[in-house]
Amino acid sequence: MNQQRSEELFREAQRFLPGGVDSPVRSYKAVGGTPPFIVKGRGSRIFDVDGNEFIDYVSSWGPLILGHSHPQVVEALKKAVERGTSFGAPTELEITLAKIISAAIPSIQMLRFVNSGTEATMSALRLARAYTKRDNIIKFAGGYHGHADGLLVKAGSGAVTLGIPDSPGVPSGYARNMLTAPYNDATAVEQLFELNPEKIAAVIVEPVAANMGVVPPRPGFLESLRNLTSRFGSLLIFDEVVTGFRVAYGGAQVKFEVAPDLTCLGKIIGGGLPVGAYGGRKDIMEMVAPVGPVYQAGTLSGNPITMTAGIETLKLLHQPGFYEQLENKAASLEKGIAIAAARAGVNVYISRVASLLTVFLTGDRVIDYESAKRASTAAFSRFFHSLLAEGIYWPPSQFEAAFVSFVHSEEDVQLTIGAIEKALNSL
Ligand SMILES: *Cc1c(COP(=O)(O)O)cnc(C)c1O
């Protein structure tokens, strides 16, 4: 694969941007090599500066469930841009998107839009602490909730990939307020509650873990968290930044029928533009300024461009059969990979929830962070580069989800399975 222009740009980028990127995982540090510099995306494909074309399974890390530059979203955005990009004043678009979200996720009676998932989780924790008048938070090892101070404790995503689970620069006092338990281990959570009576403000969890690779909740796990938080007077926060409108219309709480007190959203609800939101019970949300004393603000929050992309995207998702068709594509990919792995004689553990999928290069079952880490990252690098050379843009880390989108065709899926068989054969 010719990467001459990308190599030049990557060298230049590193002079001005740390690692040449604005988010660590994009630099390919975990797998080595040069990331293709992208010029354009259309449907399921992206195109780089050297003229290479790829079938994309990163999908901007989740938002692009409709693929790249969906004509209806692009058309609406053009019109919105002509009317003005930001007013710092209320618009009707914010009500429209809030109503769509609230109708899809009944536990969200009221919400606040922000500009990233990080802002959403950070603000939700502040609110939970204010509401309960407690300081401690329980999170799960390998759970990623953005890069806010205090949440970078045993975090997933880029933090696993780079091997810096605890970032320098986070005051030790922040980290002390975070208690961690293994994912899928409700007994460990119960013990933390018993050891810290009336100190725990909230449990924050990805209802389907997607940042240590995909790890589904065990049956009963989310229900146990619901019961424990209620019993001990603390709040349950679902971080649905990835799973919201991804694993079902609405999200994981609709799919698994467990309602949290607060929900964090991002990614899909912005249709590819920067976004986040947090919301939940009205009595809790009414503690947020200006109604209540919990301060949180944003110059560009709820801006008309993001709201427009979100509204158009969610409208397109709310069509009969959308999620079934999407899941069928992902299921056929999963099945093809399993057959390819058997033929290649390579042990893999394929973990899939709806259109989120990780191929762990291990023969063992993956149920939490410890078991995820048993996968071979060295083998993954070879697997990844073989796919890239075959025109498949797979997430550049063993501990990330591949995102199947609605525009992946049967042909895309078959090409991908072929490339995966070749990649597994070369391990
Ligand atoms: C991506 C992600 C975040 C952070 O969102 P940003 O918009 O990158 O700040 C938070 N939680 C989860 C579960 C995520 O996947």
Side-chain angles (χ1 to χ4, degrees):
M1 181 176 67
N2 175 22
Q3 283 208 288
Q4 198 184 339
R5 186 68 188 129
S6 282
E7 280 161 12
E8 284 165 17
L9 289 175
F10 195 37
R11 271 194 299 276
E12 195 183 359
Q14 289 174 76
R15 290 174 50 210
F16 297 100
L17 307 165
V21 292
D22 285 306
S23 198
V25 73
R26 297 178 199 169
S27 74
Y28 281 19
K29 198 153 176 198
V31 290
T34 301
F37 277 60
I38 306 303
V39 286
K40 161 175 107 168
R42 179 80 18 108
S44 63
R45 310 291 174 113
I46 52 175
F47 303 82
D48 75 4
V49 286
D50 291 292
N52 300 305
E53 177 177 343
F54 305 95
I55 302 174
D56 181 20
Y57 289 95
V58 172
S59 300
S60 190
W61 299 100
L64 300 181
I65 191 168
L66 294 168
H68 294 271
S69 44
H70 189 282
Q72 205 163 315
V73 178
V74 170
E75 216 31 60
L77 280 176
K78 281 183 182 161
K79 289 194 188 125
V81 167
E82 280 171 2
R83 286 190 296 265
T85 54
S86 178
F87 308 116
T91 65
E92 191 173 346
L93 295 166
E94 295 158 78
I95 313 172
T96 307
L97 186 54
K99 274 188 185 164
I100 294 174
I101 292 173
S102 178
I105 309 178
S107 76
I108 301 184
Q109 297 172 336
M110 201 176 240
L111 78 160
R112 167 66 57 84
F113 288 109
V114 292
N115 301 293
S116 66
T118 295
E119 268 185 81
T121 56
M122 179 187 84
S123 310
L125 292 194
R126 180 183 302 145
L127 179 57
R129 284 172 163 145
Y131 182 83
T132 57
K133 303 192 176 70
R134 300 174 179 183
D135 285 342
N136 291 353
I137 304 284
I138 296 177
K139 79 178 281 290
F140 294 91
Y144 180 68
H145 307 289
H147 64 85
D149 283 347
L151 277 167
L152 283 177
V153 177
K154 295 198 183 162
S157 191
V160 190
T161 304
L162 298 176
I164 38 169
D166 294 307
S167 171
V170 176
S172 53
Y174 283 53
R176 263 202 301 278
N177 286 327
M178 297 303 297
L179 310 171
T180 54
Y183 195 76
N184 271 326
D185 189 345
T187 308
V189 175
E190 183 164 18
Q191 281 165 359
L192 287 175
F193 271 112
E194 278 163 0
L195 287 170
N196 301 275
E198 298 186 18
K199 288 205 178 121
I200 294 165
V203 174
I204 185 165
V205 64
E206 293 179 71
V208 174
N211 288 286
M212 49 179 135
V214 176
V215 179
R218 268 190 191 139
F221 175 60
L222 299 173
E223 289 83 350
S224 298
L225 298 182
R226 177 65 283 177
N227 294 336
L228 287 167
T229 44
S230 299
R231 171 143 72 92
F232 288 94
S234 71
L235 300 182
L236 180 60
I237 305 175
F238 276 4
D239 180 350
E240 296 229 42
V241 172
V242 166
T243 53
F245 295 93
R246 168 59 67 178
V247 299
Y249 186 76
Q253 58 192 276
V254 173
K255 186 178 174 73
F256 297 108
E257 298 178 342
V258 177
D261 301 296
L262 292 174
T263 299
C264 301
L265 294 168
K267 299 194 169 121
I268 288 176
I269 64 157
L273 275 84
V275 81
Y278 64 105
R281 270 166 43 198
K282 189 160 183 267
D283 64 313
I284 306 174
M285 288 307 292
E286 284 193 330
M287 284 194 75
V288 176
V291 186
V294 178
Y295 193 69
Q296 187 272 307
T299 302
L300 294 168
S301 294
N303 79 83
I305 308 304
T306 300
M307 296 297 104
T308 299
I311 293 164
E312 289 307 315
T313 299
L314 296 194
K315 269 194 211 156
L316 288 161
L317 302 186
H318 197 31
Q319 286 172 14
F322 180 92
Y323 284 89
E324 288 78 2
Q325 281 183 59
L326 178 58
E327 174 140 16
N328 287 342
K329 293 168 196 282
S332 113
L333 180 60
E334 178 191 3
K335 196 167 150 216
I337 297 171
I339 293 167
R343 277 215 288 251
V346 177
N347 282 329
V348 298
Y349 185 79
I350 308 169
S351 187
R352 180 180 70 81
V353 177
S355 56
L356 297 168
L357 176 147
T358 298
V359 180
F360 287 104
L361 297 181
T362 170
D364 299 337
R365 219 155 63 94
V366 175
I367 54 159
D368 58 14
Y369 187 43
E370 281 307 307
S371 46
K373 283 194 297 188
R374 273 182 224 132
S376 167
T377 53
F380 182 83
S381 289
R382 295 195 296 279
F383 174 77
F384 169 81
H385 281 291
S386 171
L387 287 182
L388 193 67
E390 293 293 314
I392 308 297
Y393 194 82
W394 201 253
S397 160
Q398 173 69 92
F399 307 109
E400 301 283 359
F403 297 90
V404 178
S405 75
F406 194 71
V407 292
H408 281 116
S409 64
E410 185 54 34
E411 190 202 354
D412 289 337
V413 169
Q414 291 312 321
L415 285 169
T416 307
I417 293 167
I420 286 180
E421 181 160 352
K422 200 164 164 189
L424 291 172
N425 268 320
S426 74
L427 290 184

